[in-house]
Each structure stands twice: as C-alpha cells, then as structure tokens.
Amino acid sequence: MPEKKPGKLTMEKLVSLCQRRGFIFPSSDIYGGLSGCWDYGPVGIELKRNVKEAWWRSIVQERDDMVGMDTSILMNSKVWEASGHVTNFKDPLVECKECHLRWKADDLKENKCPSCGGALTEERMFNTMFKTFIGPVEEDAAVVYLRPETAQGMFVNFQNVVSTSRKRIPFGIAQQGRSFRNEITTGNFIFRSREFELMEFEYFVKPGTDAKWFDYWVEERLNWYLKLGIKKENLKPYEHPKEKLAHYARSCTDITYNYPHGWSELEGIANRTDFDLKQHAAASGKSMEYFDDENKEHYIPYIVEPSLGVDRAILAFLCDAYEEEPDKDEIRVVFHFHPDIAPIKVAVLPLSRKENLAAFAKDVYKTLRPCFTTQYDDTQSIGRRYRRQDELGTPYCVTIDFQSLEDNMATIRERDSMKQIRVPVAALKDTLLAKLSGEDLFILPEGGQIWKE
Ligand code: GAP
C-alpha cells in the first residue's frame, strides 16, 4: 500500500470537510444551492459565535472608549443617497457575447471571457446594492436598500450616542450585523458572498489626530489575529494606492491573509475623514458637530474605520488552523483552533456504552456542560472519536473508562500534543478551565497523574 503523506490545504478539501463535519453548507442545498449564500451548521454556528464574541470582547467590553449598537438593516433611502452609495457603490460589469456569463471587469486579467474565451461587451456600471420595496406598492417612492455596510447606521446615530453615552472624543461605536451586496462574481467558498456579516467600528477623533489613530488601529487589529493564533507569516498589511480608494476614504490599509486562493483582503482599515458626517449633516439639515468642552471648540470629527467580514475571518481561522499530520500509517486531520474560538471546547467520551459507565460519563457531561460547549460522544471506537474531535478542533477530550468507576478519575487528552493526564473527576472542571486559558497540560491538580507523554 502506498504510504499516506500529509498534503497542503486546498479550498476543495476545506469545503468538503466543512460540509462533512457540519461547519458550513451551501444555502438551499436540496434545490441546487443559491450562488453566494451559505448556511452555518451546528458546529459552524459555534465557531461563528466565538469569533464574533472574541471581537466584541476585545473591541467593546475590554475598552473604555467604545460602545456597541445594533441598527436596522433597512434604512431611509436618503441615507444611501447622502452616503454616496446610490451614485458610487458600483462595479464595472462586462458580459461574454458567447456564453453570456457576467464578470467584474476589475477581476479580469485579459480582455476575454475566462470561461469560454469569448469576446466581452463594453463595461457598464452596476450598482451592487440590493433593492426592495416598503409596503405593498412597487414604486420608486417605496424603494429601500438592504444595507451593504453597517457603518451608516452608526454615523446617523452619532449625536444620539454622544448625548446618551457620556463618551468624549476619541471614542468609537461598534456594530456587528448582516450586510448584502449583489456581487457580480462570488466565489472562493465564504470569501465573497452576497449575504455576509460585518463587524466594524467607527472611531471618532479630532481632525489632525486621524493619521496617528489610523496607525494605532492597524497595529491593534493585526495583534488581534495574532492573539487568536493566526500565524504571523500569513498576515500582511497592504496600503491602497490613492487612485484605488473607495469614494469616502483618504487612506486605506488592508490586512491581507494568505488564503488558499492567494493573498487577499481580510479586513480594511480606512480613514473616512469627516466625509460621512458632513454628507449626513448637509442632507438631513441636522448638525453633526461635536463640542469639545475642555477646549471649548466645535468640530466635525474624523473617522477611522476598521471593517471586517465575519465570514472572511472564519475562513482565515479555518485555513490557519488546518493541518494534516502523519499518525502511524494514517493521516490525522486537525484544526488547531485557539481555545477561545474552538466551536466545541470539551468532548466526553465513555470507553463503552455499558450502563454503569454511561451513567458515570453522563454525570461528568452534566457537570461540564454549563461551563463549556461540550459534546457527548459514545459512537464507534475511541480512536475514531478522537479523530472526529480533531476534525472539529476540540481542544480537550475527557475519557471515562472502567477504572474511573473505581478511582473516580478521568483522562484528559490534549488535541495538539495528543498527550494525556489523569485527574480526579472533582477537579475536572477547574483543570479544564485552566488548560483552556493556556495552562500547560502537565501542571497537575492534587491527585493528578501524567498518563501518556
Ligand atoms: N464599511 C466599510 C466597508 O464595508 P469594505 O472594504 O467594502 O468596507 C469591509 O468591506 C470588509 O467586509 C472587507 O474587508 C471584507 O472582510 C468584508 N467583505 C466585503 N465584501 C464582502 C463579500 N462580498 N463577502 C464577504 N465579505 C465581504
């Protein structure tokens, strides 16, 4: 039999593993899917919640200069006129004269159809905002848009937040939420979709201090990924040339990630200046000025905006954590997720389904479940169950064997090293808590033993 060798991650492998293990499915799968839309499964939703939670904790909860919001997806259409989206949120579209496939002109390397080689039409601009109607009549006056970014909800609430939160500049407003873009081409799994989630914040600063805050946030955001285990060599900042900037930006730096399809934008950090607040002030007739009571001056703040697609972050975490390792004659596939984002933290695995052992293991499961996302798995051999948990990225497995019935101890197996310790059941919860917070496996609780080095 040829020797099995660990291979490199490809998008095909990732899509198939994500589907097989319940991370992500194509939307409307039984009807052949819907292009650019994806469903998160039972494991994927845990991963997504953890990524969003880690961002919220670091951006909102752990800072004094930030507040959160949750604004509506549908907004008054005047918002999108004032923001420039109705006029400028457009992509150049070309169509193949032979097969009639449509392409985003910016993405093409040659002036022919990438699918059949056919000639292409002239470029025409295509607004990528989804339109719908409020009320029963489909008329121009009833047009509303599905938001393409969550930012505008925060800009138009600037004065509401200033007057209710007691925050003084510099401070930020953060938001997570669904956004929609009628992308001409989608692809690379969840990298570019038509419906996705954004996590972004608007950091309001005094004009003149914007460049300093811009650099600060590029650094902070890079560090967030590193803290959550992304490898440094897979992250690279990319500064946009001035002529390629979005209509609202003075400068923009992307944090790019080395995805299987190549280096691409993970997060964008933009200096939006006072563009948005000035536009909304002019269009609404409402003041967007801030009064600096220390210096007794009025000004319209500048805004630094780090904006990240949740799904692009998830794709980066999946790619970075994936590894194929030789394991005896087989290949072990494992997601080395940081414990904070691992979808399942602990799996309880009874060695057999015998009644007395199952009852003991279920008791252990019940004591752990309120503290961690825990899975109980009593199917197939223990080896296969470890493999399954490795593919889910579960940091710790707790194995209950017949000896546990006599000595009231359980084995903890660490995902990354596959090393094991044995600890009293009474100490399990605290021991797992410590390990999930980064404590070395071989620091043992009282009565604990090293089981397998
Ligand atoms: N408010 C600023 C803004 O929306 P953007 O660069 O257009 O800026 C921000 O988008 C982030 O949203 C990107 O860096 C990317 O992570 C994510 N993103 C953009 N379009 C996306 C799409 N079609 N599918 C998934 N994520 C997307």
Side-chain angles (χ1 to χ4, degrees):
M1 210 165 71
E3 195 190 336
K4 289 191 181 163
K5 285 206 178 123
K8 263 184 72 170
L9 177 66
T10 61
M11 208 58 109
E12 292 71 34
K13 278 188 198 174
L14 188 66
V15 173
S16 143
L17 177 58
C18 282
Q19 192 152 359
R20 189 159 48 84
R21 286 289 173 225
F23 282 88
I24 299 164
F25 309 116
S27 159
S28 327
D29 203 8
I30 58 168
Y31 291 102
L34 177 68
S35 126
C37 299
W38 298 92
D39 295 342
Y40 284 79
V43 181
I45 180 62
E46 298 295 339
L47 175 62
K48 191 183 217 190
R49 286 168 60 104
N50 292 342
V51 169
K52 288 167 67 178
E53 187 61 33
W55 185 91
W56 194 263
R57 224 176 17 250
S58 111
I59 299 300
V60 182
Q61 259 167 264
E62 291 175 358
R63 299 187 65 104
D64 290 329
D65 58 351
M66 200 77 77
V67 290
M69 279 202 88
D70 183 21
T71 69
S72 65
I73 288 175
L74 300 179
M75 301 178 79
N76 191 316
S77 294
K78 288 180 184 156
V79 168
W80 305 110
E81 284 159 23
S83 69
H85 282 79
V86 172
T87 322
N88 297 318
F89 201 62
K90 289 178 176 166
D91 277 335
L93 173 148
V94 289
E95 186 173 322
C96 173
K97 290 179 183 165
E98 305 295 323
C99 69
H100 299 287
L101 280 178
R102 289 171 175 181
W103 306 96
K104 193 172 161 183
D106 290 352
D107 291 344
L108 299 181
K109 291 194 178 73
E110 293 173 297
N111 193 24
K112 57 184 186 188
C113 174
S115 176
C116 75
L120 299 169
T121 59
E122 290 291 303
E123 277 179 28
R124 66 187 167 89
M125 295 311 277
F126 169 76
N127 195 307
T128 54
M129 279 199 294
F130 279 101
K131 251 188 210 174
T132 186
F133 300 90
I134 285 257
V137 186
E138 296 195 2
E139 59 186 9
D140 282 356
V143 165
V144 283
Y145 299 96
L146 300 189
R147 67 179 177 199
E149 61 171 14
T150 72
Q152 300 300 326
M154 297 184 271
F155 299 142
V156 299
N157 275 290
F158 173 65
Q159 295 294 19
N160 284 339
V161 174
V162 170
S163 61
T164 56
S165 69
R166 290 177 294 120
K167 293 289 173 211
R168 310 309 297 157
I169 278 176
F171 80 93
I173 309 179
Q175 164 153 243
Q176 301 181 331
R178 295 261 166 186
S179 302
F180 304 83
R181 294 184 191 180
N182 197 359
E183 300 281 2
I184 297 166
T185 44
T186 57
N188 292 318
F189 195 23
I190 51 173
F191 179 81
R192 181 171 289 121
S193 338
R194 296 200 164 98
E195 175 177 345
F196 57 98
E197 272 191 78
L198 273 174
M199 321 194 258
E200 51 185 4
F201 58 93
E202 311 306 323
Y203 199 74
F204 301 90
V205 304
K206 187 173 178 177
T209 64
D210 46 311
K212 176 189 87 181
W213 282 109
F214 182 84
D215 293 346
Y216 167 86
W217 280 115
V218 172
E219 181 83 15
E220 279 290 295
R221 294 302 304 142
L222 270 167
N223 285 337
W224 184 76
Y225 296 103
L226 298 175
K227 264 190 245 151
L228 287 174
I230 298 259
K231 295 174 200 82
K232 201 170 180 191
E233 64 269 25
N234 287 334
L235 290 169
K236 206 160 56 183
Y238 165 78
E239 203 176 310
H240 280 252
K242 293 275 178 251
E243 64 278 10
K244 293 253 173 177
L245 291 174
H247 65 273
Y248 50 73
R250 167 182 284 185
S251 55
C252 183
T253 293
D254 287 345
I255 295 178
T256 63
Y257 179 78
N258 190 11
Y259 290 103
H261 61 272
W263 286 94
S264 312
E265 174 183 351
L266 165 59
E267 168 163 354
I269 298 144
N271 181 348
R272 292 184 77 131
T273 67
D274 53 5
F275 174 85
D276 303 274
L277 292 182
K278 270 192 173 155
Q279 290 289 109
H280 288 305
S284 67
K286 303 279 171 5
S287 167
M288 288 290 174
E289 267 188 353
Y290 171 82
F291 178 60
D292 177 347
D293 37 17
E294 247 171 55
N295 298 310
K296 306 283 178 252
E297 52 178 332
H298 290 266
Y299 58 81
I300 295 192
Y302 269 39
I303 293 170
V304 176
E305 177 200 63
S307 175
L308 162 64
V310 177
D311 313 81
R312 282 205 193 165
I314 289 174
L315 187 58
F317 283 120
L318 284 166
C319 294
D320 221 77
Y322 181 93
E323 198 180 357
E324 295 179 17
E325 297 173 351
D327 182 23
K328 301 190 189 100
D329 300 331
E330 294 293 317
I331 299 294
R332 176 172 97 114
V333 173
V334 53
F335 278 122
H336 296 285
F337 293 126
H338 185 284
D340 286 1
I341 63 157
I344 295 147
K345 312 288 183 210
V346 179
V348 175
L349 314 176
L351 215 57
S352 123
R353 282 179 166 173
K354 285 229 167 74
E355 213 174 294
N356 52 350
L357 198 68
F360 188 97
K362 286 220 164 112
D363 275 348
V364 169
Y365 172 55
K366 278 187 202 142
T367 57
L368 299 180
R369 205 163 53 165
C371 316
F372 322 101
T373 315
T374 309
Q375 226 181 46
Y376 185 86
D377 186 0
D378 61 359
T379 56
Q380 301 181 304
S381 72
I382 190 72
R384 280 185 169 238
R385 281 181 276 165
Y386 282 150
R387 284 282 163 78
R388 183 158 51 235
Q389 294 302 329
D390 289 340
E391 287 191 350
L392 297 175
T394 309
Y396 295 100
C397 289
V398 171
T399 313
I400 310 293
D401 54 25
F402 288 101
Q403 202 182 321
S404 305
L405 299 176
E406 285 158 28
D407 61 8
N408 222 5
M409 308 257 285
T411 308
I412 297 177
R413 180 250 196 196
E414 190 176 61
R415 174 197 65 201
D416 294 349
S417 65
M418 294 191 281
K419 291 176 177 164
Q420 298 178 9
I421 58 172
R422 202 161 164 86
V423 303
V425 167
L428 255 182
K429 190 182 83 186
D430 287 344
T431 307
L432 287 165
L433 265 175
K435 307 301 172 210
L436 286 164
S437 308
E439 186 184 77
D440 187 89
L441 182 72
F442 291 146
I443 296 178
L444 299 170
E446 204 178 316
Q449 304 159 18
I450 291 175
W451 206 243
K452 188 177 139 199
E453 287 215 52

